[in-house]
Amino acid sequence: MIDTRPPLADLLSSFDALVAAGWRSRVIASQPAPDPGAPRLEIRAYFNADEVDAVLVAGIHGREPAGPIALARSVARLVEHGRGRGLLVLPLLNPWGYLQRERYGPSGQSVSDSDHLLGRAPAPACPEAGDITAFVLSGIRIGPGAAVLDLHEDPVYEAPDYRYDGFGSYVYFIGEGAAGRPASRRVLDCLRASPLPLVRDGVTRFGEAVAGGAIVDSEDGSIDELFARRLDCTPVVTVENLLHGPEDPPLSLRVEVYRAVLDAFLGVRS
């Protein structure tokens, strides 16, 4: 299989343009490099204000590259969007997984699991989860009511006992009144008209019921739930598109869909 993803170094260097535009960059966590003796892999946050009112997240799962690549190819747009609002960008939270094509980090756990801060676990699931969630809670000011967009993908090919015949996308909404917020409606409208259209009804491979293209107020221990439950962010919108293989549908198509979703989400203040 031909790997159409950009090399990790090229992907990460795309965000240098944010710093050149006056944004700040901070290393919030790190992971061991796959090659012994190589420098640790830095996990960076980029932000343009002391208090932000929108958060963009991608790259939590290593086998879901469309989100990080869409953000990397939208840096100029982010600079423009950031001229009138405070933005926090967490573009690749699992670089080790990106390199290894693995869903989780080197510990085998989700790098942004938040159960330890949601009263469901005594300690972070892995070092990255501890560091990333600590930054979100105390390393930056995220205003109440801030909107959050998390770009995921759903590689259903990883679950041989699950079958979905079509292609498309679905969303999660978390937060007070999240499903009815303007940003949420814009994302839904964008997906309805996209080449990976909204899957209106069904059941995910995790047993969650999709109604009208969305799953509302899930409790999955994710960083998205943390944003909503602990920081009062709304809407927290997580977008998923169904993957039947690493290039099925093609990565280039998924990236363009997510660039459109990003623009829809940031269209106006929520």
Side-chain angles (χ1 to χ4, degrees):
M1 182 186 68
I2 298 174
D3 190 352
T4 62
R5 306 173 307 157
L8 178 63
D10 293 350
L11 179 65
L12 296 178
S13 67
S14 300
F15 299 98
D16 293 345
L18 294 177
V19 178
W23 291 43
R24 282 165 277 177
S25 173
R26 182 181 301 175
V27 178
I28 61 173
S30 67
Q31 295 175 306
D35 298 325
R40 290 181 66 84
L41 301 172
E42 294 179 343
I43 299 172
R44 288 186 171 269
Y46 300 85
F47 50 98
N48 68 341
D50 292 328
E51 181 171 315
V52 301
D53 61 8
V55 183
L56 306 174
V57 185
I60 290 173
H61 297 145
R63 283 192 176 183
E64 302 170 19
I69 298 169
L71 286 172
R73 294 182 181 171
S74 300
V75 165
R77 301 184 195 186
L78 295 178
V79 171
E80 289 300 316
H81 284 301
R83 297 193 193 283
R85 66 191 306 176
L87 296 179
L88 167 63
V89 180
L90 304 170
L92 184 59
L93 290 181
N94 186 8
W96 185 92
Y98 184 90
L99 282 175
Q100 302 290 83
R101 284 186 173 272
E102 292 286 345
R103 177 178 175 88
Y104 296 123
S107 67
Q109 302 294 324
S110 176
V111 299
S112 63
D113 182 272
S114 300
D115 274 334
H116 62 293
L117 296 172
L118 293 166
R120 302 179 193 135
C126 59
E128 302 100 307
D131 292 339
I132 290 168
T133 56
F135 170 77
V136 164
L137 286 185
S138 59
I140 189 168
R141 293 203 300 273
I142 299 174
V148 180
L149 176 67
D150 189 356
L151 297 173
H152 277 263
E153 304 190 84
D154 186 357
V156 296
Y157 62 91
E158 294 179 339
D161 58 341
Y162 177 84
R163 182 172 179 83
Y164 186 84
D165 292 325
F167 293 90
S169 52
Y170 61 94
V171 301
Y172 293 84
F173 292 131
I174 314 177
E176 184 177 356
R181 300 277 176 164
S184 300
R185 294 199 299 269
R186 293 195 303 270
V187 168
L188 287 177
D189 288 344
C190 176
L191 290 172
R192 288 187 186 107
S194 83
L196 298 174
L198 209 59
V199 176
R200 295 184 180 275
D201 300 287
V203 178
T204 72
R205 63 190 173 114
F206 303 107
E208 301 155 311
V210 179
I215 300 161
V216 179
D217 284 333
S218 64
E219 296 184 352
D220 58 4
S222 67
I223 196 171
D224 302 322
E225 188 183 357
L226 181 71
F227 280 122
R229 312 286 187 222
R230 289 289 303 272
L231 293 170
D232 296 322
C233 294
T234 190
V236 180
V237 183
T238 305
V239 184
E240 304 264 7
N241 64 69
L242 295 161
L243 304 184
H244 296 282
E247 284 287 339
D248 188 17
L251 178 58
S252 58
L253 172 62
R254 288 144 45 200
V255 169
E256 288 311 306
V257 167
Y258 274 0
R259 293 185 74 191
V261 166
L262 176 63
D263 277 349
F265 177 79
L266 290 174
V268 295
R269 290 181 183 272
S270 300

